[in-house]
Amino acid sequence: MDRQAAQNLNRDKSSVAMAARSGLISVVIPMHNAAPFITETIASVLAQGDCVREVIVVDDGSSDGSGEVAAASGDPRVRVITMKSSVGVSAARNIGVRETSGEWLYFIDADDLARPGALDELLSAAGTKPDVGLVYGDYDRIRQDGASAGNRRHFMAMRRKPTGDVLESIVQKNCMVVGAQIVRREIFDACGGFDETLRKLEDWHFWCLAAARTEFLFVPGLYVMSYRVHETSTMHTRLLPFDAVKPGIEAVYSDPSITARLDAKRLAGFRRSTEAAMLSYLASVAVRLGTYRAGLAMIFHSIRRDPARGPRAMAQFAGAFVGL
C-alpha cells in the first residue's frame, strides 16, 4: 500500500470512529443564579464538538435572569427547563436526565468549565472497555474570573485513581467531583438517579450506587473539568461541620445494593475509613479557607477515627498548604 492510500485509509478509519461517537453524550446542567457564568459553561460544552447530542439546562428557580442568559446561546442543541421554585440540585439533575436521549450522560455545574476535547477523550477511552459504565478523569480549580486558583494539581497528573471494580475504594474515599466523568444512561437509570433527599454528598452516594453496578475506568493525565471556586461555592468557601455530611454517609451504608457487595466483616472498618476520609477532606478545605485551627481539629479527629489511614490524611492535609 502506498503512502497516499495509507493516509486515505487512516482518514477513513478516523471518520468512522468520529461518526460512531457523534451525538452520544447528553449534557445536563443544573443552574441556580448563575447568570455571570452560564454562558461560558455552555460554550465550553458546545465546544466539545459533535459528540454532544444535546445540552439540557435546568433553571432551578433562579432570580437573576439565568434562564434568559442560558437560552440566548443560539445553539439548537441547548434547551432550558425552568422551575418556578428551587427543587434542589439532585432533583434538577434528575429532571434534566428525563429530557435526554444520549447513550452517555455528562453532568457539569453551571459555573464550571469542560476542558477542550475532554469529552471526546472520555468516549475514546470508553471504546477500549465496552463493558465499563463510567469513565472519568481529573480536574483543576479556577477562580471566579477564570484564572488558575493557584493549585499545583498538575503535579498529580499521572497518579492512578481506582479503575475496574472500584466499590471498596470509592465507598471509603470519594475521588471524583461532578463534571469529571461520563456515565452510561442505563447505569443512571439502574441507580434511580440522584437521591433528592440529600443536601450534601449526593454525588458521592450516586458514585457508590453506580460502582455497585458497573466497573469504572480512570483516564490518567486527562483533566476533564475546571472547578470554579467563588463566594457561592459552599464546599470551598465555607467550612461545613461534619454533621452536614453524616446523612450522605448514612445513605451509603444503609443501602443494601451497596452493602451487599461489600465484605460484611469489614463493613464497620469501611465506615470508619469513610468518616476519616471526609474529616481529612474537610480539614484540607479549612486550610484553603485559612481556618487552620479548625483544620487541625478535624485532621486530629480523622486520625483518631481511623489510625491506619493517618499517613494519607496527613499527606492530604499538607497538600492543601501547597495547593494540591
Side-chain angles (χ1 to χ4, degrees):
M1 182 182 297
D2 62 30
R3 179 178 299 179
Q4 185 61 48
Q7 289 176 342
N8 290 340
L9 179 60
N10 289 335
R11 189 181 304 114
D12 290 343
K13 287 181 178 179
S14 178
S15 297
V16 169
M18 290 179 65
R21 294 198 297 271
S22 179
L24 288 182
I25 299 178
S26 293
V27 179
V28 176
I29 307 177
M31 175 178 68
H32 180 75
N33 291 342
F37 311 113
I38 188 60
T39 297
E40 191 177 6
T41 299
I42 291 174
S44 75
V45 170
L46 294 175
Q48 302 295 314
D50 291 342
C51 66
V52 173
R53 183 184 188 89
E54 59 206 346
V55 181
I56 310 299
V57 181
V58 182
D59 184 6
D60 189 27
S62 296
S63 58
D64 67 346
S66 293
E68 291 81 0
V69 174
S73 71
D75 192 295
R77 289 176 291 175
V78 178
R79 285 183 283 154
V80 179
I81 300 172
T82 302
M83 311 303 296
K84 292 183 179 180
S85 59
S86 178
V87 295
V89 66
S90 292
R93 289 179 185 135
N94 292 341
I95 289 167
V97 169
R98 290 198 285 270
E99 300 296 320
T100 63
S101 56
E103 179 182 343
W104 292 88
L105 298 170
Y106 177 65
F107 299 97
I108 186 169
D109 289 341
D111 51 357
D112 297 332
L113 301 176
R115 297 283 291 267
L119 299 190
D120 203 54
E121 289 196 49
L122 290 177
L123 280 178
S124 295
T128 68
K129 299 282 186 180
D131 295 332
V132 163
L134 187 148
V135 186
Y136 72 111
D138 218 322
Y139 71 99
D140 62 4
R141 302 186 189 94
I142 57 175
R143 300 191 187 281
Q144 181 164 329
D145 62 0
S148 170
N151 59 69
R152 295 180 174 86
R153 293 184 64 84
H154 58 278
F155 290 131
M156 300 151 63
M158 296 310 295
R159 64 177 174 166
R160 300 295 304 189
K161 287 188 176 183
T163 283
D165 184 353
V166 305
L167 182 59
E168 284 193 9
S169 296
I170 208 160
V171 158
Q172 295 177 79
K173 184 180 187 300
N174 184 13
C175 60
M176 294 194 296
V177 297
V178 173
Q181 59 288 121
I182 55 174
V183 59
R184 287 191 190 273
R185 171 64 185 269
E186 63 188 77
I187 296 300
F188 179 89
D189 291 341
C191 294
F194 290 90
D195 187 333
E196 297 178 12
T197 69
L198 295 178
R199 302 296 298 273
K200 301 295 178 187
L201 300 188
E202 80 292 332
D203 54 339
W204 171 65
H205 175 251
F206 177 78
W207 312 141
C208 292
L209 290 172
R213 291 162 171 82
T214 188
E215 292 190 348
F216 287 16
L217 176 64
F218 174 62
V219 185
L222 174 60
Y223 281 77
V224 180
M225 181 267 290
S226 293
Y227 178 95
R228 196 186 302 266
V229 181
H230 55 93
E231 63 269 14
T232 61
S233 303
T234 57
M235 289 297 282
H236 284 272
T237 56
R238 66 182 179 87
L239 186 61
L240 295 176
F242 183 66
D243 283 350
V245 300
K246 279 184 177 179
I249 296 174
E250 182 59 32
V252 166
Y253 282 94
S254 62
D255 192 308
S257 71
I258 296 172
T259 56
R261 287 277 328 281
L262 299 171
D263 185 343
K265 295 180 180 179
R266 300 170 61 200
L267 201 58
F270 287 147
R271 181 157 187 162
R272 285 195 300 273
S273 184
T274 297
E275 293 172 348
M278 182 50 63
L279 281 163
S280 63
Y281 168 74
L282 293 174
S284 68
V285 173
V287 169
R288 296 186 189 105
L289 296 175
T291 53
Y292 303 118
R293 181 174 297 179
L296 284 170
M298 284 185 168
I299 203 67
F300 174 74
H301 288 306
S302 173
I303 295 170
R304 285 192 61 187
R305 194 70 52 98
D306 185 7
R309 73 177 313 279
R312 282 179 290 171
M314 287 303 300
Q316 182 179 13
F317 188 60
F321 283 93
V322 294
L324 294 178

